[in-house]
Every structure is written in C-alpha cells, then in structure tokens.
Amino acid sequence: KAKKLSGNQFQLYDPNLEDRSLGSVELENDLYKALQNDELTVVYQPKYDAMKSRMFGVEALLRWHRPQKGIMKPKDFIPLAEETGLIIPMGEWILKKACEQGKEWHNQGLDHLSVSVNLSPQQFNQEDLVANVKTILEETDLPAPCLELELTENLIIHNTEKTLRIIHDLKDLGVKISIDDFGTGYSSLGYLKDFPVDTLKIDKTFIDELPDNPNNAAITNTIITLGNSLKLNVLAEGVEKKEQLDYLTDNGCYLIQGYYFSRPLKAEDVIHQIYIR
Ligand code: C2E
Ligand code: MG
Ligand code: MG
Ligand code: MG
C-alpha cells in the first residue's frame, strides 16, 4: 500500500486521490457557476428568547443546490469559496438577500426581528466592506440595528488596529456585532473590552455535553458570567435537548438557537414559528 519515494520517505498510496482532485476541480468549476445560475439559496435559523418564549432574530445560512448533486452545506463549499475569493460575491449576495428578507418580515408586522449574516475573514478584510453594508442597508431600507454581523474570534485577533477601526465603522452605521463560535478561537479575552461587540455566541461544542460534562458546564458558566459583567448578550448555539435548555436558563442564558426549537427554515416558514409552542 505504501509507495516508496526516495530514501526513507514513504507515501501512503490512496486510490481515491485522483478522483478526489478531479472532484475538487469539478467542484470549483461548479462553484463558479453557482451564483450566476441562481443555485444559491438562504435558509433562516430562528433565535429565541426563552424568557419571552418568542423569536427575536434569525441567522441567514447559505445553501447551494448543486446540479445533479443535491443540497450542499457550507462546510462542503465555503472553504473553497474562501480559497478562490468567490466568498466575496457570495457574501455580498447573501447580505443583500437577508436584508431584503428582513425588510419583508418588517413589512409583514414582524418589526422586532433581526437578521444576522456570517462574515468570512476575506470579506471582513475587503476595503469596501463598510461602504457595501451601508449601501445594502440604504437599498433595502432595513433599519441598521436589525442587521447583525457574525464574526469569529480568529478574525478579531489578527490585525488588531485595522480590525478595531472596521468594527467601529460598522457600529457607527448602527449594525450589531456578534462573536460566533465563542470560546473556540485563539483569542485573549482582552479584545472584548476594546471591541464594541453586542453578543457572544457560545459554541455548540460546549453546549453538546451539557449538563453532564463538568468542563463544558464550567466553560459555559464562565462565558455567561463574562457576558453579563460586560453587559453583552449571551446566546447558546446548537441547543438540541430539553436538558441543555434547562441548564442554560437555570444559569442565566436565555438566548437560544438550535434544533430543539428550530432547524433552519425557508423564509416563508419563519412567520409560523414566532412563538415557542
Ligand atoms: P455558524 O455560523 O456557527 O452556524 C451554525 C451552524 O450550526 C449552522 O450550520 C446550523 O445549521 C448548525 N446548527 C444550528 N443548530 C444546531 C443544532 O442544534 N444541532 C446541530 N447539529 N447543528 C446546528 P450550517 O448552516 O451548516 O453552517 C455551518 C457554518 O458555515 C456556519 O456556522 C458558518 O460558519 C458557515 N456559513 C454558513 N452560511 C454562511 C455565509 O453565508 N457566509 C459565511 N462566511 N459563512 C457561512
Ligand atoms: Mg453564525
Ligand atoms: Mg457558530
Ligand atoms: Mg459553529
């Protein structure tokens, strides 16, 4: 099975290797066509306030209806989209789409609903990000405080001064900022006092084994306490079970996102899921 290279170097022979690289060329070609061929859609995962038993926002998530292959999830194409730079037009597309949809919900009377959009590091570092967000808000007429941008910690630690300026510029537009997958990055907590963020989203990996895993429980409680002391909202991601929900609400975290309440939905289904049954 192992193929001898030279000297003492060996490489494991992988019969799938050729297929796989062929597959990725095909994937790349298909991905280039996805936007212009209208193959991308957005699903919206509700975020609930368990205290009020009602939805307060939704997160926009990309889906790609790949011809002959079915629905592709972000993990199967976002890395490639980032590598190829395609994430920039895709990111702009979903931002616009989500803001349009947000405005439509407002027009239907759901004017408390906020819409969040994930920003990739590439997008964040784009020169005209702030101008683009501003234009999209103007074009769609969505009130800026109803748009939330989700950033990851790893994005925030790099390039601190420039990052700080961009976040301040975004905040000046009036949009909200949340830190996604909080607790999984390489960040020092120090940045939290400098960056004007609104919400910490506790990563699903910590929520997964609640309430039994004492380490996860300790981390979760620490994040909740930290968020409360800094006057930030704290939301738990990936809540799938009643026991997790109970643990979180018992410990002061009421903002909940996860399959327990709702999977990501088509836009038209959101209005039917506003209240927790
Ligand atoms: P994320 O921003 O942390 O989004 C949460 C992911 O967890 C979503 O997966 C969501 O469907 C999933 N999820 C939510 N609740 C549960 C649960 O209770 N159980 C389980 N097992 N999963 C749950 P999805 O849609 O596959 O997205 C994965 C990641 O892809 C997102 O993680 C985000 O980082 C990225 N992504 C999605 N859409 C976009 C986009 O438009 N732009 C960028 N840059 N990244 C995106
Ligand atoms: Mg997110
Ligand atoms: Mg997340
Ligand atoms: Mg995540």
Side-chain angles (χ1 to χ4, degrees), residues 45 59-63 73-74 78 87 94 118-120 123 150 180-181 204 237-240 258-259 264:
Q45 188 178 30
E59 175 173 7
L61 296 162
L62 263 180
R63 294 291 180 267
K73 292 265 199 103
I78 296 253
I87 194 70
I94 189 171
N118 295 284
L119 284 195
S120 80
Q123 245 182 312
E150 299 198 1
D180 206 349
D181 307 336
K204 177 176 180 300
E237 310 193 86
V239 177
E240 295 180 342
Y259 293 175

